Amino acid sequence: MAKACCHCKEVNLVGSKGDKPTDADRLFVMVGNPNVGKTTLINAISGASLRIGNWPGTTVERMETHFIYHCRSQELSDSGTPRENDTQSTGVEAESETKQSTNSVLSSQPEEAEEASIKVHLVDLPGAYGLAASSAEEKVTRDELLTRMPDAVIDVIDAGNLERNLAMTIELIELGVPVVVALNLLDEAKEKGMKPNIEALSEALDLPVVPTVAVKEEGVQELMRHAIAAKRSKLKIEYPAEIEKAI
């Protein structure tokens, strides 16, 4: 199973097996409404402490981390399609039957099982409800997305408040950036009797939607696999004729 190297504060660190980072450095940014668990999710992904500062010229807090992500080499060219029988918790082994089946496939395809290490720079953008730049946080988020061109945007949404959170998702799709959706706080939503249809949501958005519970590190590995292979949604947003004409 792919694992992030824990407690990596510098990007030149390597794993315990002497893995050498490849040149495939990735910049990931994490966006989402306030209080959706972004910081907890970053810590679950990287196992590293966030560096905290301020965005230039503002009092808005800037948080980021660097770490080495270990994966199979074929993940670098995967289409981002969800994989069946994969465990969602970091460090948790799959069931013995699935593991034996996986080992059999890997043993017959040794080249595809080759390991790779990727240097990841992960930035936690300020909590914002949209990209209209109506607040300092929204302006920082919008400007960062427009100027840095991240390899993947991890859009963290509250599974119990989809209508409000998906407004940001739609704006990201219109912006044309590669996105993977982290459907976070799923445990809290289920406690309220909510059961989001993850497959239908993914199909509607034309994006991978990964269920996560950040405090339990559930969904972290699947989320990283999709982030590595993130692509732009082909969803076309259509507005009433008057608005379409105006824009």
Side-chain angles (χ1 to χ4, degrees), residues 61-75:
E61 199 170 61
R62 175 188 175 95
M63 295 186 286
E64 61 186 330
T65 187
H66 296 81
F67 61 94
I68 305 299
Y69 176 70
H70 303 289
C71 63
R72 299 189 185 100
S73 57
Q74 71 266 27
E75 289 184 37

Side-chain angles (χ1 to χ4, degrees), residues 101-137:
S101 174
T102 302
N103 287 340
S104 175
V105 172
L106 294 179
S107 64
S108 65
Q109 299 176 338
E111 292 184 1
E112 292 186 351
E114 203 171 304
E115 290 188 0
S117 298
I118 301 172
K119 295 182 288 185
V120 178
H121 179 196
L122 180 56
V123 180
D124 182 14
L125 295 183
Y129 294 106
L131 303 177
S134 57
S135 68
E137 289 78 10

Side-chain angles (χ1 to χ4, degrees), residues 128-143 145-146 167-168 171-172 175:
Y129 294 106
L131 303 177
S134 57
S135 68
E137 289 78 10
E138 288 184 1
K139 186 178 187 306
V140 165
T141 297
R142 184 199 63 182
D143 291 350
L145 290 172
L146 289 174
M168 169 74 86
E171 291 190 55
L172 293 171
L175 196 60

Side-chain angles (χ1 to χ4, degrees), residues 19-148:
D19 309 78
K20 295 182 179 180
T22 69
D23 292 330
D25 298 354
R26 304 295 174 93
L27 170 64
F28 295 163
V29 298
M30 191 169 286
V31 305
N33 291 184
N35 304 315
V36 294
K38 292 194 291 96
T39 303
T40 303
L41 187 55
I42 285 185
N43 287 330
I45 289 172
S46 68
S49 299
L50 288 170
R51 294 175 177 176
I52 301 176
N54 286 339
W55 291 91
T58 74
T59 58
V60 179
E61 199 170 61
R62 175 188 175 95
M63 295 186 286
E64 61 186 330
T65 187
H66 296 81
F67 61 94
I68 305 299
Y69 176 70
H70 303 289
C71 63
R72 299 189 185 100
S73 57
Q74 71 266 27
E75 289 184 37
L76 300 180
S77 58
D78 275 350
S79 64
T81 302
R83 305 181 183 189
E84 295 180 0
N85 298 326
D86 273 336
T87 178
Q88 293 183 347
S89 295
T90 305
V92 176
E93 295 294 337
E95 294 294 335
S96 59
E97 181 177 343
T98 303
K99 187 177 179 182
Q100 290 175 1
S101 174
T102 302
N103 287 340
S104 175
V105 172
L106 294 179
S107 64
S108 65
Q109 299 176 338
E111 292 184 1
E112 292 186 351
E114 203 171 304
E115 290 188 0
S117 298
I118 301 172
K119 295 182 288 185
V120 178
H121 179 196
L122 180 56
V123 180
D124 182 14
L125 295 183
Y129 294 106
L131 303 177
S134 57
S135 68
E137 289 78 10
E138 288 184 1
K139 186 178 187 306
V140 165
T141 297
R142 184 199 63 182
D143 291 350
E144 184 74 2
L145 290 172
L146 289 174
T147 59
R148 295 291 295 276

